[in-house]
Each structure stands twice: as C-alpha cells, then as structure tokens.
Amino acid sequence: MKAIRAEFPIFDAQGSPFHYLDNAATSQLCAPAAHALHAFETTARANVKRGVHKLADAATVAFDDARATMAAFVGAASPEEVIFTSGTTMSINMAARCLTPRLREGDEILLSELEHHSDIVPWQMAAQARGARVRAIPVTSDGRLDLEALPDLVGPRTRIVAVTHLSNVSGAVSDLSVIRAAAPEAIMLVDGAQRAAHGPIDVRAIGCDLYALSSHKMFGPTGAGMLWGRMDLLESLPPFLGGGEMIREVRIDGTRYADPPHRFEAGTPPIGAVLGMAAAARWLQSRDRRVLHDHEMRLTGRILDGLATLPGIRLVGPQGLQGRAGIVAFEVEDVHAHDVCQMLDGNGVALRGGHHCAQPLMRALGLVATARASLAPYNDDDDIDALIEGVGKVIERLR
Amino acid sequence: MKAIRAEFPIFDAQGSPFHYLDNAATSQLCAPAAHALHAFETTARANVKRGVHKLADAATVAFDDARATMAAFVGAASPEEVIFTSGTTMSINMAARCLTPRLREGDEILLSELEHHSDIVPWQMAAQARGARVRAIPVTSDGRLDLEALPDLVGPRTRIVAVTHLSNVSGAVSDLSVIRAAAPEAIMLVDGAQRAAHGPIDVRAIGCDLYALSSHKMFGPTGAGMLWGRMDLLESLPPFLGGGEMIREVRIDGTRYADPPHRFEAGTPPIGAVLGMAAAARWLQSRDRRVLHDHEMRLTGRILDGLATLPGIRLVGPQGLQGRAGIVAFEVEDVHAHDVCQMLDGNGVALRGGHHCAQPLMRALGLVATARASLAPYNDDDDIDALIEGVGKVIERLR
Amino acid sequence: MNDLYDDALVALAKAKDGAGRLDAPDGTASVDNPLCGDRVTIDVTLDGARVDGFAQKARGCILTQAAAGMIARHAHGLDAGDIEALRARVRDFLSSAGDGADWPEMALFEPVRTVRSRHDCVLIAFDALLEATRKARDERA
Amino acid sequence: MNDLYDDALVALAKAKDGAGRLDAPDGTASVDNPLCGDRVTIDVTLDGARVDGFAQKARGCILTQAAAGMIARHAHGLDAGDIEALRARVRDFLSSAGDGADWPEMALFEPVRTVRSRHDCVLIAFDALLEATRKARDERA
Ligand SMILES: Cc1ncc(COP(=O)(O)O)c(C=O)c1O
Ligand SMILES: Cc1ncc(COP(=O)(O)O)c(C=O)c1O
C-alpha cells in the first residue's frame, strides 16, 4: 500500500507523524484528481455547454466524458441519468424537492435512525410541506438497521424510502435488498456518500431509483457530487433550481424546461471539481477493489482488536467484521470525544469527535458524542498503531 | 498590463494566438486563486466547522477568513452576512425560495428584460408557487434599463425587485439608486455575477438587501459563489437546503436550525473553491481599480470604434462608453453568431455566440443570437486587433 | 482562418436549395437547436411512403443551412426508415466513425467532427426531415 | 502528547468546583455547544445585583468543565456588567489578545488559543453565567 500513499500528494506535504483517520469527513485528494482539477482551472478553463470556441468545445467534451465516467462508476444505464451537483447534501435536497409535489397528506417517508442529517432534514421539509409523515427504521444496539421492524414500518402509504448505503458512524453496511423487497412500490433513494470510497456501486443491482454521492469523500475535489436517477423517473420530475442551461425557452411570462440531465443542472456547474471527481472515479476503478477491501478489513480488524484490549471503551457499531466497513466510532468512558480527538491530534492522529451529523442515532444509542476513526486505502499499520497507542494514553491521562 | 497577464497561468499554457474574449462566460483563474485552491486540496485538506484536529482547525480558520474577505469585498456589515454557495444561480435560487413564503396572491416581483435566465426562472417559480406576478422593466433599443417605465411598474404589491448590476449582454451598468428609490419597501436583490470582475461593490451604498455573485467570473475557481444578505433579513428567513452544519438539533420528528450564515450552508461546502474565490477577491482588491477601469474603457472604446468601421454591424448595447462596461455584443448582418464565433476561433479569438441566457432581451431587441466579446484586465491591444481583423474577414467571407 | 468554412460549404449554404415552404405539405416539422435558438422547418409531400415534394426553411448558421441544402438535393425518394438510418450514419460520421450519407456534399462536413458543440447544427435538419416524413406517413395511415 | 491537557487543567476540570444544582436559584441558564452537543447549566442566586449562590453542571469536555470550575471559584460578587466584560476579555484572550480574566487559572487556557474550534468550549460557561445572572436580575426588577 506504500504505492498508493505515493499517489496522494498530502503525505509528502504533511510529513510525519500524519495519521489521517478522518476520511469519513473528507478523504484526501488523489493525484489524478488534483491534476484534472488543476489542469482545467489553470490551463484549459472555459464554460461548458454553450461555447463554440476551441477551449469551450474541449471543456464540453471533457464534461460529457466525466458524465459517462460517473455513469459507469455507479452502473447507470446511460450518462444522461447522471446529474452533477455540488455534493450529496445538494443531491438529496434536489431529490426531496422534486418529489415533494407527489406527496399527499398522510403519505409516509421511511428513513432510518442511522441517517446523516443530510438524509433526514430534506425529507422533514418535504413531509412538512405536504402533511406527510416521516418514519424511521430503528437501529440495533450495535448500530445496524433493525430490519425486523420493517414490516411494521412499510405500508400502502410508504411513498419514499431513503436510506444510507453505509453508515458514517457505525460503519454498518445496509442490506438494501431487504429494504427494496419490503417496499417495492416506493421510490427508493440511497445515500452513497460513504459507500463511494468503500466499495463498488451498482444502482441497477440495488434496484433503487436515486443514488447520491460526494466527490470529496471519494478522493475527488470538494464542491462536486452527483445524483443518479432512473431516466423514466427523472423525465417525470419537475426541475429544482431555475437558471441558465436548464431551459429550452424563457419568456418573462413562463419557461419551458430542457430534458434530463440538463433540466436539473442550472447555472455554471462546478466544472473543475466534476472533472476531478471523474478522475478520482477512474482511479478507484483502476484499482483491484478486492485488494483494497481486504486491506481495509485487515486494518479494521486491528482497530477493533486494539480497542478491545483497552479498558472503558464502548464501540458504536458491529463488533466483528461482518457487514461493516472501516469506519469505527467509539466512546471512552468518562472522557469527552473532543478530548479524545484533541489528545490524539497531539500524537499526529486525525480523528473526528462529535455527533457526526447523526443526532438521531446518538439519541437512539444513548450517546452524546463519539470519537471516530475512518479508513482509506492509504492508511497503514503505523496509523493503527498510533491510534491504539494514543487512545491508551488518553485513558491513562483523562479517565 | 503585461504584468497582469503573467499572473494568469493560462497564458503560458495556451501559448499564442490566444485572444480570450469570453470572460463574461467564465474568466480565467488568477495565480493566487490557483494556489489557494491547489494548496488546500493537495496539502491541507480537511472538512470545516466540526473538526478538532490541526488540519480541520486550520481549514476552519481559513474558511472563516474567506468569509471575512468576501464580506469586505462587497462592503458587508459583518462576515456573518456572507453565505457561501456554489454560484450566482444557486444564490438567487436560495433567495427566491427563502422569500417564497412571504409572497401572497397578487403580489408582484419586478425583474427586467435585461436579466440572465438565472435571475428570471427562480422568480417565475416563486411567483407560480404563490400566485404572484412577474413584471419586467423594459429595455431601451440600446440595451439599457428603461427607467422611465419604473413608476408604472412599481406599486404597493411590489414585494421583490431583482435586477442585474451589469448586463452580461449589452454591458450596460444599471442605475441601481433609481430603482432602489422607486421601490423603497421592496426587498431588492442585485445580480452581481458580471459586476464582480468589473468594478467595486458596496452593498450598503446600493441599499440593496441581497447580492449574488460567482467565483468563476471574478478570476476564482469554478464551483463557488456567495449570497450576501442584510443580517436582519437573513435572520428572518427559513433555511433553503437541509443537511449537516445548518442545524442546531435534529430529531426524527423535527429540527431546530442554526443562525445565519450556517442556517443556509447545508452540507460540506466547496471549500477549495471558496478559498480560491477569497484569494481572487484579495487579488482584485490589491489592484488599483481605477487603473483597471481605465484600461477596460480604453479597450472597449477600441472595440466600439473598430466595429463602427465595418459594414453591417449592429451593436447590442450603449453606443458610447457612458454607463457601460467592457462587454460588447453585436450582430453581423446575415451571418449567424455561431459562424462569427467559429471563424474568429480560427483566428485564435474566443468569443461567445448565442442568446447568452438572456432570451427575453433577445426577444425584446428582435434578435436570435449575437456574438459577444467581453474583457478582463489581462486583455490587451493585440486581442482587440485580432477581434476587429477577424470580424472583418467574417464579413468578407460569409456576408 | 477556420477550415470549417470551406468555400464550397459556404456556397452550399448560400445556394439555399429547396428554400421556401410547400403550399400543401403532407407533413411539416420544426426543430430547434436549444444552444442558439436556431430552427429548421421542413415540409414534405409523400408519394406512397416516399418523399416527393420538399421545402426547407433554415434560420441558422452556415452549417444548418448547408445541411438543409444538402438534404434538399437528395431527399426525393427516401422513406422514414431510410431517413432514420441516414441520420444515424451522419451522427456517427460526426463522431468520427463511418462515411455518413452517400452524398458528395458529405465531405464538406468533415471538419465539423472536431467541434462537438456544432454537431447538432448539422443534425437538426435531419431531425426535421425525419419528423416531417413520419408525420406525413402517420397522417395517411 | 498534546500540551492542551496540562495536568493542572485536567485537575481543575476533575475538581468539579461548584458542581451540582441550587434548590432555589434566582436565575438558571443552559447553553449548548452546537458543535458537539455539550451543555453547561448554571444556577445563581443574587445578593442585590451580585452573584451570591452558584452551582454548575457541565456536561462536556475537559475545557468546558475546567472553565465551569474556574468560574465557580470566582463568580461570587460579580454583577451582569462584570460578567459581560469578563466574557469579552476571555474571548479576546483566546483570539490571542489580552490577559483574559484576572484569575490564576486563566493561564491554563493559553494553549487553547491555537485551536479555534475549541474556543466555544471555554466560552459557553461564561455565556451560561451571564444569561443566568441577567435572568435573575430581570426576575427581581
Ligand atoms: C448576469 C448573470 N447572472 C447570473 C449568471 C449565472 O451565473 P452562474 O452560471 O455562475 O451561476 C450569469 C452567468 O452567465 C450572468 O452573466
Ligand atoms: C452518510 C452521509 N450522508 C451524507 C453526507 C453529506 O455529504 P456532503 O457533506 O458531502 O454533502 C455525509 C457526509 O458527512 C455522510 O457521511
């Protein structure tokens, strides 16, 4: 994995000790993405979609290619099913707003207690606008979706199901096939913000209708993301934002809209970040995903084992490696998560502490804040050693 | 102005001939912005607002500094009045959606025929949602706002006025003080997408309530923008997007929102692009704006004079230098704008051709498409020579 | 300057073959290019399933006008299936694969290959022809 | 490891000076840190306009607990104006200007200056004290 580290410019820049285990908040940028972003912005910049000069034409071609790349990355049926956005939060808000007119009073939106706020608040807004109701799949004490509760939660009024593919706190991977099967009539959105860096995505195999992800969590630049949608669904949806590029004809007294995906891409897109995201996706797809997965699981096992040797640790999430990814949240008894993270920072270990934008989960598990270590392909045994050693010192000093 | 050219990496990269006159579509990136973007993304990346480790803290500090920079750039009363967005289109949509609940049936939104689609469509959507009515200040035959029509257009139902500071087609600068005075009670949004690169902005002197701009049109990266709003207005507005960072508390059954600006910044922001935008703003503010302005006016004069010597040219916009900036749209009789641009491209001159996302203006002036040359500080006499020579050849060959 | 504008291409556009409208078309279609607001309108009459009478009105750039003029020269005798196949071949031609239509003027459009944003300028004339012919056919059925 | 956690600072936090609740406070306030969900609750009774009785409940990190403990040691005799001035001085101290409060424990917070994201952890205890004291004052007025 030394070779992989070399593909991430930050490691050279930061020197050592630099144990970056805050990948679930944002991952580091891979060199191909840095190159694509920088090259576009400094040597080839032009606006896309409407230009006739060489630079504009080249930018448009590159942008179209990025769409095809991202379509392949998630297993879309066609590039036109890919809508570029500024990130997962924007993607989910777009989906929620475009679906809002379909909701009627008494309809239900099914979320889960595992969701990130970005997959909760937009649906609350949609529900509130239409008198619909938000329900949530509960979590088990080890931070998994409690799918046994599903039959009671899904009914004829369940119009929308929005669930995470991979929890940003517990690291649990959702069993999407069970959820899809339980609510075959509902429109199903999957929040793939965390999944994108941790495993392959196949929207057609999942059978979902919408899929959201962020560039910055999958080794691409900040400021870009995507919403994938089934074409027949996209065609039936109204636009979300109004502006340039999403129209067919504008008069002061009314407007006709363009076809998907353009209908949903108002204004100048984050072109540089989109090109960087596509470069990151190609980088990920050029790796042997099996090797990446095995590496992640081995290091995850080391974290779980290491924490298990320390006193007063409460793990938030699956105890074993089954059905989880390398995102490990934990509590140190009587020590606040921010103190854990701050002391670890003194050891060169970057963690995140807090509610991780998942307050309902915290509440369900009776927690206020946790510390979280999250892995990426460039992490190595040294990172794990520093983490476990650091947590040991925290316990010694602060508990 | 040679020195300025050296501060834009693209000129080295593109070699010559490279006469970039498509700045109104997107400007080129200045070196300080390129550096800020690249340095953050490749050597210092972390998520902002919630992190405790060194990198996250440094990113948060830099992000806060960028907010202060942009506040100073537009003359805001405080950094908290600056909301970071993905661009002007997003900023205006946010404003329109947040204001929508205030509209009642029969209320009026006053736009102008000069507006870019991004300052039309969001308001049409708002009007449609509430049974309000969109009206538009007409344009004069030389592409200025016809302010004599104002008294007939403003009335007790005029709740919102949304106008451009600088037209992206005619290059006319709006007389905002007259508009502000005519509708003192209305909430006034100014679309500053084009203004940001062409002159200083002072929102308090304008007396407007909201101001929108894009990074990529003011020598910053693609993917960022801002919405400035008066604090008392922002405090009274509901959020637009739901997600992380904009909340105080989330429960499955409801949510309490954070104060401005965070209430309006859901999800991970385009951090790199925001830092780049702030670097571009600092770059602009470090220049002598008077010198930039004089240079722009001199070149604009050369374009106007040069086009005047050619047969069959129709200028779209003010004939003289009074009340205009260096954005010049024109029609070549019997030659389509795309053919003009395409042929000029063969001369190394990058123009834009089309409706420039301003179809109502095109319709008002009886045009289908025009060619447009738009200036930036790095343009020089060579660029103007190539433009005028190229248009001359077009007329010879295609007319 | 730009080799897109070969004299022969400009001449083809300026020739305006088939320009005008039919008095009593069996089918008519207008197609816009959302990029620039251009519009091609084509009228056809059919003999059986095949194009007999033809007129075109191209409000647009040289490429659109030249494409409409080229079509005017060769549309006679084509049916909707032929036109659909032709349109696909021209699209492939522009994306750098294949020879396009079997017409001598086709070669004039070769330089357009390198400018993806202009491909639609050529294709909308084919779109309009296809739509007009289909409408005429369906009208009769 | 990190010099933020000087033993004396940890000891100050663990000492939990003034921890608990008052039975009959004149004023009570809870302030949250939205960053992490921490919460400081402060109860006061007043003698005239000045703090007499005091109790604090700090659910939070070492910094929040230490700040609440420090305040417990010195709150007696302050009025709302004093506290407001103090809060401003502590804020300035954290942004690297000034000496902060005139209290010996203040020096323990110096390393926090370099970590902007933790400033609120210190300040919310002052916010809670100010709000509780103001409420108590207004209650009586
Ligand atoms: C006047 C004006 N308003 C709004 C916009 C939209 O800006 P963006 O595409 O960056 O959202 C533009 C850009 O073309 C513009 O010129
Ligand atoms: C599961 C999940 N969903 C959504 C988001 C929001 O992503 P972004 O902040 O990139 O919009 C995150 C990021 O923290 C996440 O982890």
Side-chain angles (χ1 to χ4, degrees):
Chain A
M1 294 288 148
K2 280 267 176 292
I4 284 191
R5 247 176 131 78
E7 294 187 71
F8 288 80
I10 194 152
F11 295 106
D12 259 353
Q14 285 286 330
S16 66
F18 179 60
H19 304 291
Y20 188 77
L21 293 170
D22 192 18
N23 293 290
T26 196
S27 62
Q28 295 301 335
L29 192 70
C30 65
H35 178 76
L37 169 63
H38 197 65
F40 171 74
E41 292 283 350
T42 60
T43 72
R45 192 153 92 166
N47 213 327
V48 291
K49 295 188 186 177
R50 290 190 180 279
V52 153
H53 58 82
K54 272 191 224 59
L55 225 49
D57 201 62
T60 304
V61 168
F63 199 72
D64 288 349
D65 287 350
R67 208 186 290 282
T69 297
M70 294 313 296
F73 186 72
V74 301
S78 83
E80 284 71 35
E81 294 184 337
V82 170
I83 298 163
F84 288 125
T85 70
S86 55
T88 301
T89 299
M90 182 64 189
S91 299
I92 298 177
N93 275 276
M94 182 181 290
R97 293 301 167 100
C98 293
L99 288 169
T100 299
R102 298 198 175 191
L103 291 170
R104 303 221 191 136
E105 191 160 341
D107 279 352
E108 293 177 5
I109 302 171
L110 182 61
L111 314 177
S112 91
E113 286 181 348
L114 264 186
E115 299 314 307
H116 187 279
H117 294 162
S118 291
D119 198 35
I120 299 175
V121 185
W123 302 112
Q124 289 177 335
M125 291 171 160
Q128 204 183 353
R130 309 289 294 181
R133 183 177 165 212
V134 169
R135 306 186 70 180
I137 306 171
V139 286
T140 61
S141 60
D142 67 341
R144 297 178 192 272
L145 293 180
D146 184 359
L147 295 180
E148 292 187 4
L150 259 187
D152 291 341
L153 288 165
V154 177
R157 302 306 298 270
T158 310
R159 299 281 173 243
I160 297 169
V161 176
V163 287
T164 191
H165 199 159
L166 167 54
S167 164
N168 68 313
V169 183
S170 73
V173 179
S174 303
D175 193 341
L176 297 175
S177 60
V178 173
I179 301 170
R180 173 75 289 180
E185 305 289 317
I187 291 174
M188 181 177 179
L189 174 138
V190 176
D191 174 355
Q194 293 298 335
R195 173 66 176 188
H198 290 274
I201 296 165
D202 185 340
V203 291
R204 280 182 288 172
I206 296 168
C208 59
D209 303 288
L210 296 155
Y211 196 99
L213 58 77
S214 291
S215 164
H216 72 99
K217 294 194 199 279
M218 51 172 275
F219 318 114
T222 55
M226 66 174 264
L227 176 65
W228 165 84
R230 262 194 307 106
M231 184 47 76
D232 57 337
L233 176 61
L234 295 185
E235 279 171 341
S236 73
L237 293 178
F240 172 35
L241 303 174
E245 321 302 338
M246 51 74 74
I247 56 99
R248 196 171 289 285
E249 185 180 7
V250 175
R251 296 172 175 271
I252 290 294
D253 55 6
T255 290
R256 289 189 303 133
Y257 301 115
D259 291 334
H262 304 291
R263 185 188 304 167
F264 304 100
E265 292 179 356
T268 303
I271 311 171
V274 161
L275 301 185
M277 170 167 70
R282 280 191 296 269
W283 179 82
L284 263 168
Q285 289 194 293
S286 72
R287 326 294 317 178
D288 184 335
R289 296 298 282 261
R290 194 75 245 154
V291 172
L292 296 187
H293 180 78
D294 291 350
H295 176 68
E296 176 176 344
M297 284 299 110
R298 190 176 66 76
L299 295 187
T300 305
R302 285 204 55 209
I303 297 177
L304 298 177
D305 292 349
L307 292 177
T309 64
L310 298 172
I313 297 284
R314 174 177 168 195
L315 202 68
V316 181
Q319 308 290 313
L321 293 176
Q322 202 57 39
R324 68 135 60 237
I327 298 175
V328 183
F330 59 95
E331 210 188 19
V332 181
E333 206 180 57
D334 294 332
V335 183
H336 190 279
H338 278 175
D339 294 326
V340 175
C341 296
Q342 191 85 54
M343 276 199 82
L344 267 290
D345 186 48
N347 239 22
V349 180
L351 300 180
R352 183 124 315 210
H355 54 58
H356 313 294
C357 295
Q359 289 182 346
L361 175 62
M362 295 288 130
R363 213 169 285 116
L365 299 180
L367 297 161
V368 173
T370 72
R372 178 186 71 190
S374 49
L375 297 173
Y378 38 72
N379 288 122
D380 59 18
D381 286 295
D382 285 353
D383 297 332
I384 311 304
D385 292 344
L387 168 69
I388 300 299
E389 183 197 304
V391 177
K393 284 198 207 162
V394 166
I395 292 171
E396 236 167 67
R397 297 258 340 256
L398 300 186
R399 190 164 157 251
Chain B
M1 293 288 148
K2 280 266 175 295
I4 285 192
R5 245 175 135 80
E7 295 187 71
F8 287 79
I10 193 151
F11 295 106
D12 259 352
Q14 285 287 330
S16 66
F18 179 59
H19 305 290
Y20 188 77
L21 293 170
D22 193 18
N23 293 290
T26 196
S27 62
Q28 295 301 336
L29 191 70
C30 64
H35 178 77
L37 169 64
H38 198 65
F40 171 74
E41 291 284 349
T42 61
T43 72
R45 192 153 91 166
N47 214 325
V48 291
K49 296 189 186 175
R50 293 190 175 278
V52 153
H53 57 81
K54 271 190 227 55
L55 225 50
D57 201 62
T60 304
V61 168
F63 198 70
D64 287 349
D65 288 351
R67 207 185 291 283
T69 297
M70 295 313 296
F73 186 72
V74 301
S78 83
E80 285 70 35
E81 294 184 337
V82 170
I83 298 163
F84 288 125
T85 69
S86 55
T88 301
T89 300
M90 182 63 189
S91 299
I92 299 177
N93 275 275
M94 182 180 290
R97 292 302 166 99
C98 292
L99 289 170
T100 299
R102 299 199 175 191
L103 292 170
R104 303 219 191 138
E105 192 161 338
D107 279 351
E108 294 178 3
I109 302 171
L110 182 60
L111 314 177
S112 91
E113 286 181 349
L114 264 187
E115 300 313 307
H116 187 279
H117 294 163
S118 290
D119 197 36
I120 299 175
V121 185
W123 302 111
Q124 289 177 336
M125 291 171 159
Q128 203 183 356
R130 309 287 295 180
R133 182 176 166 213
V134 169
R135 306 187 71 180
I137 305 171
V139 286
T140 61
S141 59
D142 68 342
R144 298 178 192 271
L145 293 181
D146 183 359
L147 296 180
E148 292 187 5
L150 259 186
D152 290 340
L153 288 165
V154 176
R157 303 306 298 273
T158 310
R159 299 280 173 244
I160 297 169
V161 176
V163 286
T164 190
H165 199 160
L166 167 54
S167 163
N168 68 313
V169 183
S170 72
V173 179
S174 303
D175 192 341
L176 297 174
S177 61
V178 173
I179 300 169
R180 173 74 288 180
E185 305 287 318
I187 292 175
M188 180 177 180
L189 175 137
V190 176
D191 174 354
Q194 293 299 337
R195 172 68 177 186
H198 290 274
I201 296 166
D202 185 341
V203 291
R204 279 181 290 170
I206 296 168
C208 59
D209 303 288
L210 296 156
Y211 196 99
L213 59 76
S214 291
S215 164
H216 73 99
K217 295 197 199 276
M218 51 172 273
F219 318 113
T222 54
M226 67 174 263
L227 176 65
W228 166 84
R230 261 195 308 107
M231 184 46 75
D232 57 336
L233 176 61
L234 294 185
E235 278 171 342
S236 73
L237 294 178
F240 173 35
L241 304 173
E245 321 303 338
M246 53 70 76
I247 56 98
R248 197 172 287 285
E249 186 180 7
V250 175
R251 295 170 176 273
I252 290 295
D253 54 8
T255 289
R256 288 190 302 133
Y257 301 115
D259 291 333
H262 304 291
R263 185 188 303 165
F264 304 101
E265 292 180 355
T268 303
I271 311 171
V274 162
L275 300 186
M277 170 168 68
R282 279 190 297 270
W283 179 82
L284 263 169
Q285 289 195 291
S286 73
R287 324 296 318 177
D288 184 335
R289 295 299 280 263
R290 193 76 246 156
V291 172
L292 296 188
H293 180 78
D294 291 347
H295 176 68
E296 177 176 343
M297 284 300 108
R298 190 177 67 75
L299 296 188
T300 306
R302 285 206 54 209
I303 298 177
L304 297 178
D305 293 347
L307 292 178
T309 64
L310 298 173
I313 297 283
R314 173 176 169 196
L315 202 68
V316 181
Q319 306 292 315
L321 292 176
Q322 201 57 36
R324 68 135 59 238
I327 299 175
V328 183
F330 58 94
E331 211 188 19
V332 181
E333 207 180 55
D334 293 331
V335 183
H336 190 278
H338 278 174
D339 293 326
V340 175
C341 296
Q342 191 86 54
M343 275 200 82
L344 267 291
D345 186 48
N347 238 21
V349 180
L351 300 179
R352 183 124 316 210
H355 54 57
H356 312 293
C357 296
Q359 288 181 347
L361 176 63
M362 295 287 130
R363 212 169 288 114
L365 299 181
L367 297 161
V368 172
T370 71
R372 177 186 70 191
S374 50
L375 297 173
Y378 38 72
N379 288 122
D380 59 18
D381 286 295
D382 285 354
D383 297 333
I384 311 304
D385 293 342
L387 169 69
I388 301 299
E389 182 197 306
V391 177
K393 283 198 207 164
V394 166
I395 292 171
E396 235 166 68
R397 297 260 338 257
L398 300 186
R399 190 160 156 253
Chain C
M1 289 172 82
N2 198 305
D3 57 0
L4 215 60
Y5 299 97
D6 188 90
D7 284 339
L9 183 83
V10 176
L12 175 58
K14 301 265 176 201
K16 293 190 185 295
D17 289 76
R21 301 297 304 265
L22 295 185
D23 281 341
D26 294 331
T28 290
S30 289
V31 174
D32 292 342
N33 185 347
L35 184 69
C36 46
D38 289 351
R39 162 171 291 197
V40 176
T41 302
I42 285 179
D43 297 334
V44 295
T45 57
L46 296 194
D47 178 6
R50 300 188 175 274
V51 173
D52 187 25
F54 176 98
Q56 56 93 354
K57 193 161 158 254
R59 182 188 78 184
C61 61
I62 297 274
L63 297 178
T64 301
Q65 292 182 30
M70 170 173 72
I71 288 173
R73 295 183 183 172
H74 304 285
H76 191 85
L78 302 175
D79 69 12
D82 297 336
I83 297 166
E84 196 171 349
L86 213 56
R87 198 248 179 228
R89 276 161 62 201
V90 173
R91 191 199 53 217
D92 291 348
F93 166 86
L94 291 170
S95 351
S96 304
D99 299 328
D102 236 0
W103 303 335
E105 298 86 352
M106 205 65 230
L108 301 176
F109 293 89
E110 248 190 68
V112 184
R113 285 179 170 170
T114 59
V115 196
R116 205 195 286 189
S117 56
R118 305 296 301 275
H119 291 186
D120 280 348
C121 303
V122 179
L123 290 170
I124 59 169
F126 288 88
D127 291 338
L129 175 64
L130 180 57
E131 202 181 316
T133 308
R134 279 187 180 150
K135 275 190 191 161
R137 181 194 63 193
D138 297 350
E139 204 54 7
R140 301 186 142 206
Chain D
M1 289 170 81
N2 196 304
D3 57 1
L4 215 60
Y5 299 98
D6 187 88
D7 284 340
L9 183 83
V10 176
L12 174 60
K14 299 267 178 201
K16 292 190 188 293
D17 289 75
R21 301 297 305 263
L22 296 185
D23 281 342
D26 295 330
T28 291
S30 289
V31 174
D32 293 342
N33 184 348
L35 183 70
C36 46
D38 289 353
R39 163 171 291 199
V40 177
T41 302
I42 285 180
D43 297 333
V44 296
T45 58
L46 297 193
D47 178 5
R50 301 187 176 275
V51 173
D52 186 28
F54 175 98
Q56 56 92 355
K57 196 163 155 252
R59 184 189 76 184
C61 61
I62 297 275
L63 297 179
T64 300
Q65 292 183 29
M70 170 172 72
I71 287 173
R73 293 182 183 173
H74 304 286
H76 190 86
L78 302 175
D79 68 12
D82 299 335
I83 297 166
E84 196 172 347
L86 213 56
R87 199 248 178 226
R89 277 161 61 200
V90 172
R91 191 200 54 215
D92 291 347
F93 166 87
L94 291 169
S95 348
S96 303
D99 300 327
D102 234 1
W103 303 336
E105 297 87 351
M106 205 65 230
L108 299 175
F109 293 89
E110 248 190 69
V112 183
R113 285 179 170 169
T114 59
V115 197
R116 206 195 284 193
S117 57
R118 304 297 299 278
H119 291 185
D120 280 348
C121 303
V122 180
L123 291 170
I124 58 169
F126 288 87
D127 291 338
L129 176 64
L130 181 59
E131 200 181 319
T133 308
R134 278 188 181 148
K135 274 189 192 163
R137 182 194 60 193
D138 297 349
E139 202 55 10
R140 300 186 145 207

